[in-house]
Amino acid sequence: KEGCPISKQMMTNLFSSAYKPLSNLNIKAVCTLFLTSFRPASGFINKAQPPMSTAKYAKFDVAQFSCLDDNYGYLIHDPVTGDTAAVDTPDAKTYQSELDKRGWKLTHILNTHHHWDHTGGNLELKSGGAMVYGANADADRLPGLDVALAPNDTMKFGNSEGHIIDVGGHTNGHIAFYFPENDCVFVGDSLFSLGCGKMFEGTPSQFWGSLKRLRSLPDETTIYCAHEYTTGNAKFAMSVEPGNTDLVSRNKEILAKRSRGEPTVPSLMKEEKATNPFLRGDVSEEIRNNVGATDSDSFDVVFGKIRRAKDTFRG
C-alpha cells in the first residue's frame, strides 16, 4: 500500500527460494497468476471497476482509467496540437488500449518517480516515438529517459506549460507535474486522497517541505494521484482527527462512492487542506495530540510522527 511496489521479479525470487524442491513448476507463471489474481481488501479497487472518465480543462483533456490492482492511469490530450502524454506507465497494454479507443497517438511520457508500477511500460510505449520526461535526480532509474527535468523547470506540452515541483520524500527523485492554466497537478505517490506515500527514501523534513509546496497551490487545483487508497486513508484520518466535521462528511461521501464502485480520485486541494492529516500537522492540535507530538516538536517532526502512526495503523 501507499506506493509500495512489489515487482514480478521480487515475487519470482520469493517463490523460487521458498519452493526450491518444486523445480518442475513454472515459477514465473505462478507469480504472474498470483499478481493478476490477488486483490488486497481495504481501500483498493473492488470488483465494480470505476468507469472510464475524461475531464475537459482549458487547454487539454484528461482520461482516467484503472491499471494493475490499484493504480490509476492518466492520458493528457491536447485537442488542438494532437499531443498526448501518459502520466507514468503502470501497464503498457492498458495504456495502448486506451490510446487506441480514442484514436490518440502518444507523444510524451511523464514519469513522477522510478518505481516499477510507474515506469514499467516506458520502453514498450516509447517504441512508438514518444519522449520520456522525468527527474534528472533519477536519470539512472527511469527507463528510456530522454528529457531530464529539475525542480522549478518548465516543459512544453501542446499549448500548455508544465511546472516541475520537487515532491521528494516517498522517493528522493519524486516530482509532480503542475499545469496552472488547467488547474491540475499530477502528484504520483507523493500526495494521496487523504494520505501521502510511504517514506521509502526521504526524510520527514524533506517530505514535509514537499507537501507544503503542494499545499501552497490554489484551492481549486485538481489533484490526480496514482492509487485508490482513500478508504484506508480515511480510517486513519478519522482516528487522529475525529472532531473534524469536514472529515466526517467526506468520509461518508467516500464510503458511498466506493460502495457504488466509483473512484474517489481526483480530489481538490481545498478538500485535502481541510481533511488530509498529512497536510494538517501544523494546524490541528487534535492531530498533534493523537500522534504524541509535543509543544517543542517542529512541524517536520510532527509530520514524521503522523507518518509513523500511519505506518503502524491497523484500523
Side-chain angles (χ1 to χ4, degrees), residues 130-181:
M131 299 281 285
V132 178
Y133 295 70
N136 59 2
D138 260 348
D140 61 340
R141 301 195 289 183
L142 298 176
L145 182 67
D146 295 300
V147 180
L149 301 165
N152 302 316
D153 278 354
T154 59
M155 57 159 289
K156 188 75 172 174
F157 169 74
N159 287 315
S160 300
E161 187 175 71
H163 294 231
I164 308 307
I165 303 175
D166 174 12
V167 291
H170 176 65
T171 65
N172 283 328
H174 204 311
I175 58 175
F177 294 86
Y178 173 48
F179 294 91
E181 296 167 300

Side-chain angles (χ1 to χ4, degrees), residues 280-294:
R280 295 178 54 77
D282 58 343
V283 298
S284 172
E285 184 178 356
E286 183 178 23
I287 292 176
R288 292 195 294 272
N289 289 338
N290 282 326
V291 299
T294 67

